[in-house]
Amino acid sequence: MIVVVSAGLGTPSSTRRLAEQMANATDAAVTARGEALDVHHLELRELAGEIAQAFATGGLPTPALTRAKDLIASADGIIAVSPVFSGSYSGLFKSFFDVIDPKSIADTPVLLGATAGTPRHSLMIEHAMRPLFSYLRAVTVPTAIFAATEDFGGGEAGRELASRIQRGASQFAALLVAEPVGVDGFVQRDEDRQQHRKLRSNTSIASGPTAFEALLKRHNGEA
């Protein structure tokens, strides 16, 4: 199951339009791999009042915001798309990810997208969005999708946008369907995956480093 987070403010919204294109391409890429995909959309514009209330009350969420947070926490992957405001993601976009549990999307694959009126803002994803999700310890897909107004008009720009969406969706789908393999080739269950994540992030070094003399003995063939 993936959650598509769209921070567009207009109706209709180019941000929502891009998010839908990214979700459709991901659905097609996952289906091509023989898997089914459940897609849920979160329009942050509809949660703006609840997000503001959570800040004003010291973090007390409303039922609608609680459902959104639970949906995010249970997602196998996230598509996150924001319009560009003042050279960065929107305040609504940032506020939503401020109110969720910062640990809830750790190790979750995230496909990033952004929209703006001009291509001059195309690097916003790299200098603003990707660091945000790195801080949240999510796994960001290498290809991100930026769309300027001209990219929605068809022609060469539209074909290039479609190509970027396809490439990003393919990378995203590969992360979604990848199954960690356990002992004897059995696929790990969800609880096993969580334990694997904990072990990977909390590697013990209690035994300390191997003594240099011991390393030399092994190099010389001694027991």
Side-chain angles (χ1 to χ4, degrees):
M1 183 266 287
I2 67 170
V3 178
V4 184
V5 180
S6 174
L9 298 180
T11 305
S13 165
S14 60
T15 301
R16 172 63 186 251
R17 181 179 176 183
L18 177 61
E20 289 177 344
Q21 292 179 8
M22 293 164 65
N24 291 339
T26 300
D27 191 16
V30 170
T31 301
R33 294 171 178 267
E35 302 287 343
L37 186 64
D38 189 15
V39 180
H40 294 267
H41 287 269
L42 277 181
E43 281 283 352
L44 298 189
R45 176 175 56 85
E46 300 173 355
L47 294 171
E50 283 84 350
I51 294 171
Q53 183 175 335
F55 278 103
T57 58
L60 183 63
T62 64
L65 186 55
T66 297
R67 287 192 296 270
K69 293 168 65 175
D70 290 344
L71 196 61
I72 285 288
S74 62
D76 298 305
I78 298 169
I79 293 176
V81 188
S82 172
V84 177
F85 287 171
S86 301
S88 187
Y89 38 67
S90 71
L92 178 60
F93 184 87
K94 178 61 162 62
S95 295
F96 175 71
F97 285 99
D98 278 343
V99 300
I100 69 170
D101 182 348
K103 299 179 182 178
S104 64
I105 65 170
D107 299 326
T108 301
V110 179
L111 178 60
L112 301 174
T115 59
T118 170
R120 292 196 300 270
H121 296 295
S122 59
L123 288 178
M124 186 279 287
I125 296 176
E126 302 304 325
H127 70 64
M129 292 184 77
R130 202 178 294 279
L132 169 64
F133 286 95
S134 294
Y135 171 78
L136 295 172
R137 293 182 293 163
V139 180
T140 55
V141 175
T143 297
I145 294 91
F146 174 86
T149 301
E150 63 190 48
D151 294 324
F152 292 105
E156 183 62 27
R159 288 190 291 272
E160 290 179 359
L161 173 61
S163 177
R164 292 196 301 273
I165 292 174
Q166 183 63 42
R167 183 168 62 251
S170 179
Q171 295 170 355
F172 188 38
L175 293 174
L176 292 173
V177 302
E179 293 285 358
V181 178
V183 179
D184 296 329
F186 288 102
V187 175
Q188 293 177 320
R189 298 169 299 174
D190 289 341
E191 57 267 29
D192 296 329
R193 296 174 193 164
Q194 294 295 331
Q195 183 63 23
H196 174 73
R197 290 174 180 176
K198 291 180 181 178
L199 290 174
R200 187 174 59 189
S201 61
N202 296 299
T203 304
S204 174
I205 57 172
S207 57
T210 304
F212 186 65
E213 292 82 0
L215 292 173
L216 287 177
K217 287 183 179 180
R218 293 174 187 172
H219 179 73
N220 292 331
E222 299 181 21

